[in-house]
Amino acid sequence: MDYSIDRVSYRRSASRLTIGAHLFGILAIILLLVWLLHYRDGIDYDSDDPHRVFNVHPFLMFCGFVFLAGQAIMAYKTVFASRIVQKTVHMLLHLTAFCLGVVGLCAVFKYHDMAGLTDMYSLHSWIGMGTFCLFGLQWLFGFSIYMLRGPTEARRAIMMPWHVCGGRALLYMAICSALTGLMEAATFLKLHHEREGRLLNFTGLSILLFGVFVDLSVALARYV
């Protein structure tokens, strides 16, 4: 059986997949902003309105742990530069994502304090906190192995599959957390057939498709 691979074809496919990922990611940001600004009264961490404080949470968590994390994963495909520049962009995007996540978590805990709600009781919160903690550990692991001079090239090569698979798993954990968060919001707001409910559904689909396209671009990277 002939297993020859048209490398140019795979290169073009990967390029189209990253374009698709960017489009769905930007669409998700737009839909999320429409929901938060038009239907949910805006975003303001320092507001006296607890709902406006809460709105900081979904926006920053998506922008950080889903959108920027996906961009960091695709950095090796979209940043045409030397390897060290690609690694630096990859690391800085993930660090920025983590910082946004810190603010996003502070916002939801502040909202719970203002509204008198219990912390960490839902499946969404468990998945989200687990993703946050593992994300930080993954970043520290990647920085110590691939940015510092200590580890040998052999050690880096051995750890690379674990680092790649861990990053892909964390992206899907973040997406799972985002989707359960949207479902939780729709349930609490009792959204069924209203326009706002359909908007949340399309937002969730855009987030999911963004992750799928990011993951496919990584899966095809080995053929480029």
Side-chain angles (χ1 to χ4, degrees):
M1 185 179 293
D2 184 9
Y3 288 100
S4 62
I5 297 171
D6 184 350
R7 298 173 67 87
V8 175
S9 175
Y10 277 107
R11 184 178 295 112
R12 289 175 178 172
S13 298
S15 177
R16 293 192 190 100
L17 288 171
T18 56
I19 292 173
H22 287 114
L23 291 177
F24 280 114
I26 293 171
L27 176 61
I29 289 178
I30 293 173
L31 293 177
L32 193 59
L33 284 174
V34 170
W35 177 51
L36 295 175
L37 298 179
H38 179 68
Y39 289 99
R40 298 288 106 200
D41 301 325
I43 303 171
D44 186 358
Y45 187 89
D46 296 319
S47 175
D48 294 327
D49 183 351
H51 297 291
R52 297 183 70 184
V53 174
F54 170 80
N55 291 344
V56 175
H57 173 71
F59 181 69
L60 290 187
M61 299 308 281
F62 168 74
C63 288
F65 285 108
V66 179
F67 185 76
L68 284 184
Q71 296 296 330
I73 290 173
M74 295 187 296
Y76 291 108
K77 303 294 297 178
T78 57
V79 178
F80 296 99
S82 63
R83 195 67 170 175
I84 186 61
V85 172
Q86 291 178 328
K87 287 166 59 176
T88 302
V89 171
H90 179 80
M91 179 197 69
L92 290 178
L93 284 174
H94 272 130
L95 179 60
T96 303
F98 186 78
C99 292
L100 292 179
V102 171
V103 180
L105 278 181
C106 290
V108 75
F109 284 125
K110 181 179 179 181
Y111 163 72
H112 283 185
D113 289 340
M114 295 173 70
L117 299 175
T118 305
D119 296 326
M120 300 298 300
Y121 64 91
S122 66
L123 177 62
H124 163 69
S125 63
W126 290 12
I127 296 173
M129 185 58 72
T131 303
F132 177 82
C133 295
L134 291 174
F135 191 99
L137 292 175
Q138 168 84 343
W139 190 89
L140 290 174
F141 168 78
F143 182 81
S144 62
I145 295 294
Y146 299 106
M147 299 302 294
L148 301 181
R149 295 183 179 274
T152 63
E153 291 299 323
R155 173 60 61 87
R156 291 175 177 176
I158 292 173
M159 300 308 298
M160 179 58 72
W162 294 97
H163 183 65
V164 172
C165 291
R168 293 167 70 179
L170 283 171
L171 178 65
Y172 274 107
M173 287 179 65
I175 291 172
C176 183
S177 179
L179 298 184
T180 54
L182 291 177
M183 291 176 61
E184 191 175 294
T187 301
F188 286 162
L189 297 172
K190 297 181 179 180
L191 302 176
H192 299 291
H193 301 291
E194 294 86 352
R195 291 182 178 178
E196 184 178 356
R198 289 192 291 270
L199 176 64
L200 285 183
N201 288 344
F202 280 114
T203 303
L205 287 174
S206 299
I207 293 172
L208 177 61
L209 290 173
F210 171 74
V212 169
F213 273 83
V214 170
D215 195 58
L216 287 176
S217 70
V218 174
L220 286 180
R222 71 185 65 181
Y223 301 108
V224 177

